[in-house]
Structure formats: structure tokens, C-alpha cells
Amino acid sequence: MASAPSDDLFDQFLADRGHETEPARWDRSYNKLQCPDCGALHDMGAATCSVCGWVPEA
């Protein structure tokens, strides 16, 4: 019975083909958090983007 490929192997496969494998996180702009999807700026305590609803991965 074949086992599922490891996450590291799968991440390497995707990275070799130009895909990002890092979890999506807030960008930073001075003292604000910036949404990587829409570019909206938020206070440092933001948990979700109030413009597009984007949520950072854990």
C-alpha cells in the first residue's frame, strides 16, 4: 500500500514549479499591517482584513 507523500516533498514539488509554499501572513507598512490580497492597511492588532475578509494562515 502506498503512503501519502510528506508535506516537505510536496512543498518542494510546488516550489520547484514557482508556487509559494510559505503560509500567507500580513505584510508590514511602517507601523501598520497590510493585507497581501487587497493592500488595505490595518492597526497592528487586526486579525482579519476588514476590506476583503482575508485571514492570515496560522
Side-chain angles (χ1 to χ4, degrees):
M1 185 182 296
S3 64
S6 71
D7 286 341
D8 292 336
L9 183 60
F10 188 63
D11 285 348
Q12 186 61 46
F13 174 83
L14 291 174
D16 289 346
R17 285 151 182 81
H19 298 277
E20 289 189 33
T21 58
E22 294 296 317
R25 303 205 191 291
W26 292 104
D27 293 331
R28 295 192 184 265
S29 181
Y30 298 100
N31 62 345
K32 298 283 187 178
L33 296 176
Q34 186 172 17
C35 175
D37 278 356
C38 70
L41 294 174
H42 301 283
D43 291 330
M44 294 300 284
T48 63
C49 178
S50 60
V51 175
C52 70
W54 177 85
V55 178
E57 296 177 16

